[in-house]
Amino acid sequence: MQQHQLTVSQAAELYGVARSTVHRKLKSGRMSSTVRGDGKRVVALSELIRVMGEPHQVEEAVQQDAPPAEVFNDMLEELKALRSEVAELKAHMMRLPAPETPAAAPQATPVPTSTDDKPVNLFAAELAALRRKQGTGETQ
C-alpha cells in the first residue's frame, strides 16, 4: 500500500502552522521523517496524524480517490450475473445422470476347503505334506 508522504512545507500548510513548528517536532524526536532521493525531508501522513491529530482540511492530493458510483453499480451487476450463472450451473449439474457404478471389485482367491466344506489351515496342510515327504525320504 502506498504511504502518503508530505514535505515539511506541505505538512505545515495542511495543518495551518509554520514550517518551524513541524521542524521543531522533528528535531525534538516527537515525529519521525525520511529524506527522499531528491534530498527533500518528507513526513508520512500517518506520522502527522499520530502527532498532530487529524487535519481540519484534507488536501485533494492527500485524499484517497474513491471510484465513482457507476463502478460500484457495474460491479454489483456483474456479481448478480455471476450468482445467476452459478445457480444455473448447479441446476444443470442436478439434471446430469448419476455416475455409473464402478466395476465389481476382483474376487478374493477362494480359501481351499476340505471335502466337508471346512476351511483348511494352509500352514497345517504344508506342515503335514513336509512330514510325509520326510517320512518317505522324498526331496524337493
Side-chain angles (χ1 to χ4, degrees):
M1 185 173 136
Q2 181 182 352
Q3 186 177 21
H4 292 285
Q5 296 184 334
L6 296 118
T7 63
V8 172
S9 296
Q10 290 171 329
E13 184 180 337
L14 178 64
Y15 281 91
V17 296
R19 287 185 7 227
S20 61
T21 304
V22 177
H23 281 292
R24 196 170 33 258
K25 291 181 186 297
L26 292 170
K27 187 175 181 181
S28 69
R30 290 193 57 215
M31 189 165 50
S32 62
S33 65
T34 57
V35 179
R36 286 192 312 207
D38 62 359
K40 289 194 177 188
R41 183 164 302 279
V42 291
V43 182
L45 178 61
S46 60
E47 184 72 359
L48 285 165
I49 293 170
R50 182 186 70 81
V51 175
M52 301 176 71
E54 288 283 336
H56 298 290
Q57 296 177 356
V58 180
E59 290 180 1
E60 284 293 319
V62 178
Q63 289 181 350
Q64 292 282 340
D65 292 329
E70 61 193 34
V71 172
F72 287 118
N73 291 334
D74 291 345
M75 290 172 62
L76 183 60
E77 290 300 318
E78 185 176 357
L79 178 62
K80 288 177 182 177
L82 288 171
R83 285 183 176 168
S84 173
E85 185 178 351
V86 167
E88 290 174 17
L89 290 171
K90 283 182 179 179
H92 179 69
M93 186 176 73
M94 297 304 284
R95 290 190 302 266
L96 291 174
E100 295 179 14
T101 55
Q107 296 292 330
T109 308
V111 177
T113 58
S114 62
T115 54
D116 57 354
D117 285 336
K118 290 184 180 174
V120 175
N121 185 335
L122 295 177
F123 180 75
E126 280 294 318
L127 187 58
L130 283 173
R131 286 186 179 151
R132 279 193 303 272
K133 286 182 184 178
Q134 285 179 349
T136 60
E138 292 181 31
T139 59
Q140 285 183 317

